[in-house]
Amino acid sequence: GQQVMQIPQYQHVQEGEDFTTYCNSSTTLSNIQWYKQRPGGHPVFLIQLVKSGEVKKQKRLTFQFGEAKKNSSLHITATQTTDVGTYFCADYDYKLSFGAGTTVTVRA
Amino acid sequence: DTGVSQDPRHKITKRGQNVTFRCDPISEHNRLYWYRQTLGQGPEFLTYFQNEAQLEKSRLLSDRFSAERPKGSFSTLEIQRTEQGDSAMYLCASSPTTGMNTEAFFGQGTRLTVV
């Protein structure tokens, strides 16, 4: 798998606001998976993106795979306290190669 | 509980001792992974199995680390002559390999502290 870089490393969000976290690679990614890890928990699968330009939605979460398959983004609308945690993207090529994650905190 | 289970959940050991961790994957999953995670980092790949065959081992993994999956079911990860730098959360994950479904299911992890 390819090394992926995630930005920002930390995201402090006011409850109700939107935010986006990004996942970038210098080379073409095979496919991208996103995971969420709650504090003290283990990574939990959110979504897999395979096709160039693919967009998938899960309630308030929107995932996008770039046209060149070198980047991906996760956009969360109307942030809630339940969104707290670290969001990881990972390149899947028979194994997962994770980025360092974006850690999200929410101000009520 | 039909998820991935790991044992023990916590392990404190003295430097130089050997430790062994166990992972029981979801029963119908033929792929099993070991990852290591330190604070503020994403999980780092260690090794993976397809059934009982170990298909890949990270180049970063020293020869003090060894993993087995003797019957294609549970797996063990052994660390010999532990060092303080081995302190981390060791995560096991399993996944099916049918079709396009490659979602990894992670266990709760084993937290290793080397003192």
Side-chain angles (χ1 to χ4, degrees), chain B residues 7-113:
Chain B
D7 183 70
R9 294 289 306 277
H10 303 274
K11 178 70 177 178
I12 300 174
T13 191
K14 291 184 178 180
R15 190 175 52 187
Q17 297 294 306
N18 299 344
V19 294
T20 300
F21 309 142
R22 178 180 169 121
C23 171
D24 287 271
I26 293 172
S27 59
E28 61 267 28
H29 289 179
N30 51 16
R31 191 162 286 176
L32 185 147
Y33 301 85
W34 284 99
Y35 288 86
R36 176 172 62 189
Q37 187 176 27
T38 54
L39 195 62
Q41 298 298 316
E44 174 192 20
F45 170 77
L46 296 179
T47 188
Y48 87 96
F49 295 84
Q50 175 86 17
N51 300 311
E52 67 275 10
Q54 188 174 18
L55 296 187
E56 187 171 342
K57 186 175 177 180
S58 170
R59 291 170 296 172
L60 302 175
L61 208 59
S62 82
D63 55 10
R64 296 184 297 106
F65 288 71
S66 62
E68 294 182 342
R69 195 183 182 195
K71 297 183 180 179
S73 56
F74 74 92
S75 176
T76 57
L77 177 68
E78 180 183 17
I79 309 174
Q80 295 181 327
R81 305 180 304 280
T82 52
E83 302 172 355
Q84 286 190 323
D86 297 331
S87 295
M89 176 72 81
Y90 289 83
L91 292 164
C92 176
S94 69
S95 72
T97 53
T98 53
M100 293 295 292
N101 184 4
T102 58
E103 171 184 351
F105 294 79
F106 283 83
Q108 299 278 10
T110 294
R111 180 168 296 285
L112 173 66
T113 303

Side-chain angles (χ1 to χ4, degrees), chain A residues 9 31 33 35 37 41-43 45 48 50 88 92 94-96 98-100, chain B residues 31 33 35 37 40-43 45 48 56 91 100 102-104 106-108:
Chain A
Q9 184 177 2
N31 72 51
Q33 296 187 9
Y35 289 78
Q37 186 172 24
H42 57 280
F45 176 82
Q48 174 176 279
V50 178
F88 293 102
Y92 175 79
Y94 299 104
K95 64 181 185 292
L96 292 165
F98 285 85
Chain B
R31 191 162 286 176
Y33 301 85
Y35 288 86
Q37 187 176 27
Q41 298 298 316
F45 170 77
Y48 87 96
E56 187 171 342
L91 292 164
M100 293 295 292
T102 58
E103 171 184 351
F106 283 83
Q108 299 278 10

Side-chain angles (χ1 to χ4, degrees), chain A residues 14-70:
Chain A
Q14 180 71 42
E15 190 174 17
E17 291 184 342
D18 303 350
F19 75 91
T20 304
T21 178
Y22 300 91
C23 178
N24 300 309
S25 172
S26 58
T27 57
T28 303
L29 300 165
S30 302
N31 72 51
I32 274 287
Q33 296 187 9
W34 285 88
Y35 289 78
K36 178 182 178 181
Q37 186 172 24
R38 295 182 184 274
H42 57 280
V44 175
F45 176 82
L46 294 176
I47 206 87
Q48 174 176 279
L49 304 171
V50 178
K51 299 177 182 177
S52 167
E54 189 170 13
V55 178
K56 288 187 177 180
K57 292 188 176 183
Q58 288 180 351
K59 299 182 180 179
R60 296 180 294 103
L61 278 60
T62 301
F63 303 84
Q64 187 166 1
F65 204 2
E67 293 291 341
K69 297 185 72 173
K70 289 185 177 182

